[in-house]
Amino acid sequence: MNIILAYRNRLMDMLARATVAAYKPGIIAAAGTVGKTTTIEALYTMLRDIRQVRAPGRSFPHKNAMPLTILGPWTQGSGFSFWTRVFMQGIGNILRTHEYPELLILEYIRTKQRSLHQLLDIARPQITIITTMEDADEAALRDAAKLIHALPSNGYAVINYDHPETLELKENTRAHTITFGCNEGADMRIMNLEYRA
């Protein structure tokens, strides 16, 4: 069974890589230990009325969210029928040109199935948002540094200013950097924040 899953993941990644190469969408990466899902949902809400954008559905496990988001607008599904439709969609993306999102918002998380290097091989972002690396282990900090380092020189690293571990990542990129947070000194400062039930 594990062999079948390995081949399924390999085919899914290959189709996702080919889809990105064919349509060349803008890629926005979200990473960090806290706030990724909220950040992705906020970005999608802001962008959907002005650009064609796709973000991962909440119902997918993290291990497959990235390639599935690239292959199609899946919101739920499992089983043989679902995976058949996913692969048919992926093949269709390559064989026939059709309308495809201008922007993809993708969550970059290393899993047992995919290393960060494999995720970057599928799609390299032009914009990376690091929410926070609070309580992150060494492996997660290294991955965040690699993700920032992978940006092109004309890309953008959007980094949380309020946490020292996150702010240090600025040294790992040639890209433009923008900081955000509540503390004085952030490029985009959050003020008068209110929590409403």
Side-chain angles (χ1 to χ4, degrees):
M1 188 64 171
N2 288 336
I3 294 175
I4 294 172
L5 290 177
Y7 277 112
R8 185 195 72 185
N9 289 342
R10 190 177 301 176
L11 176 58
M12 183 167 36
D13 292 357
M14 182 183 71
L15 290 172
R17 188 182 307 111
T19 297
V20 170
Y23 294 94
K24 297 178 173 54
I27 306 290
I28 301 173
T33 55
V34 179
K36 289 185 299 296
T37 301
T38 302
T39 299
I40 288 170
E41 290 179 349
L43 277 173
Y44 178 76
T45 300
M46 287 188 296
L47 293 171
R48 66 183 177 187
D49 292 332
I50 57 173
R51 301 289 291 273
Q52 291 178 301
V53 61
R54 182 185 294 161
R58 267 185 174 271
S59 59
F60 285 121
H62 291 311
K63 62 184 179 181
N64 290 317
M66 183 208 188
L68 283 170
T69 302
I70 293 170
L71 292 176
W74 312 106
T75 57
Q76 59 184 351
S78 61
F80 180 79
S81 174
F82 168 73
W83 289 109
T84 300
R85 286 184 286 118
V86 167
F87 293 132
M88 293 302 292
Q89 175 73 43
I91 293 167
N93 288 343
I94 300 162
L95 295 182
R96 56 182 176 79
T97 302
H98 58 86
E99 191 172 324
Y100 191 82
E102 301 170 75
L103 292 172
L104 297 175
I105 305 170
L106 302 175
E107 192 170 357
Y108 283 68
I109 299 177
R110 174 176 41 88
T111 65
K112 290 180 180 179
Q113 289 77 20
R114 295 174 185 88
S115 66
L116 183 68
H117 176 76
Q118 289 171 310
L119 295 175
L120 288 169
D121 186 52
I122 294 170
R124 284 189 176 258
Q126 292 83 44
I127 299 172
T128 292
I129 301 169
I130 304 292
T131 57
T132 182
M133 298 306 295
E134 190 175 11
D135 299 324
D137 59 22
E138 287 299 319
L141 287 167
R142 283 196 302 271
D143 280 355
K146 289 176 185 174
L147 190 55
I148 291 287
H149 184 73
L151 288 166
S153 59
N154 63 345
Y156 286 87
V158 184
I159 299 172
N160 190 321
Y161 185 85
D162 296 341
H163 297 280
E165 300 92 341
T166 311
L167 196 56
E168 287 176 9
L169 296 172
K170 287 179 66 174
E171 307 305 319
N172 291 288
T173 184
R174 305 165 294 147
H176 307 286
T177 57
I178 300 171
T179 59
F180 68 94
C182 297
N183 293 341
E184 188 173 346
D187 296 324
M188 295 185 294
R189 190 176 177 197
I190 301 165
M191 302 178 72
N192 302 319
L193 181 64
E194 294 182 18
Y195 293 96
R196 298 184 181 180

